[in-house]
Amino acid sequence: MSSTIGPIVRLQVQRDALKVGEKGSRRYHIEPIITVAQLRVTPDGAVGLAPDGDILDAHHRDHPLHKNDDGVHGLSIGFTTHYTAMQQRFGPHVSVGAAGENLIVEAARRFTLADVERGLVVFDAAGVEKGRLTRVEIAHPCKAFTGFALRHETVPPDAFKQSMQFLDGGLRGFYCTWAGRPTVLEAGDVVATAGGK
């Protein structure tokens, strides 16, 4: 039995890499993140459907960045409550969607891997199942995203480590794989845990 989490409130794609610069001094920027009204999802990843043309997400298997050659994390999902926690700690610049997840779901609480590891189910507004998100994994925070959360300010190593630990455990989102036929997702579709707790 599934347990409802809430509606999708934001759909987005990454047009390009979010980390720029040379290794060891990379910076995270959110300019390549594009909000879309609809997202076509397949086991290969996501494509944003926009009026001026489709936008291939950077984690789609066909994207030239080759971020998902093995096909195990073509999609990502985050929750509004996680952004509330990040904003309370770091500030409003960690805006909803800044971590680059494809789906942002309105939620009443925070979620850990234990809550979502059985997978997630997406339903349309009428309650008809559209498909499932499987192979859920934690999207661990990188140094560049942690630096972005800290406004790229220099902080003591211990403070940086604590910030990275705070962002881990699923707070920065989860990677997953679409299981099912190609489907178009829209804001208002509802996400639930598979199997519930």
Side-chain angles (χ1 to χ4, degrees):
M1 181 177 170
S2 62
S3 176
T4 301
I5 296 173
I8 296 172
V9 293
R10 185 180 175 105
L11 296 164
Q12 55 188 27
V13 290
Q14 298 177 33
R15 188 187 298 273
D16 206 345
L18 302 181
K19 292 183 279 189
V20 295
E22 298 298 318
K23 191 172 183 178
S25 60
R26 288 183 179 160
R27 290 172 67 90
Y28 185 93
H29 68 139
I30 62 174
E31 287 75 17
I33 300 172
I34 310 293
T35 303
V36 294
Q38 295 180 310
L39 196 70
R40 185 170 60 245
V41 292
T42 74
D44 288 332
V47 177
L49 306 183
D52 56 348
D54 295 352
I55 306 168
L56 197 64
D57 183 72
H59 290 88
H60 194 286
R61 291 186 81 174
D62 293 336
H63 196 282
L65 286 178
H66 301 291
K67 287 181 159 291
N68 186 32
D69 285 339
D70 59 7
V72 298
H73 57 269
L75 295 172
S76 56
I77 188 167
F79 303 97
T80 55
T81 43
H82 294 205
Y83 278 97
T84 298
M86 288 189 279
Q87 289 170 357
Q88 287 173 345
R89 180 164 179 135
F90 300 110
H93 66 288
V94 188
S95 55
V96 173
E101 306 99 328
N102 300 116
L103 291 73
I104 308 294
V105 179
E106 185 175 309
R109 66 178 181 88
R110 286 170 62 172
F111 289 85
T112 65
L113 182 59
D115 297 315
V116 298
E117 64 186 347
R118 295 180 186 172
L120 298 161
V121 188
V122 182
F123 299 93
D124 67 16
V128 177
E129 182 176 324
K130 286 186 150 184
R132 294 181 178 239
L133 299 166
T134 61
R135 299 163 82 175
V136 181
E137 302 175 7
I138 292 171
H140 299 290
C142 60
K143 289 182 179 180
F145 181 75
T146 305
F148 164 78
L150 292 166
R151 298 179 185 268
H152 301 295
E153 295 175 1
T154 301
V155 298
D158 283 352
F160 191 92
K161 181 179 179 181
Q162 290 170 6
S163 295
M164 189 172 255
Q165 289 171 339
F166 174 80
L167 291 166
D168 210 350
L171 189 70
R172 182 238 175 272
F174 299 92
Y175 291 123
C176 48
T177 302
W178 182 256
R181 67 183 188 278
T183 306
V184 174
L185 302 182
E186 301 176 309
D189 288 344
V190 175
V191 176
T193 57
K197 283 204 167 205

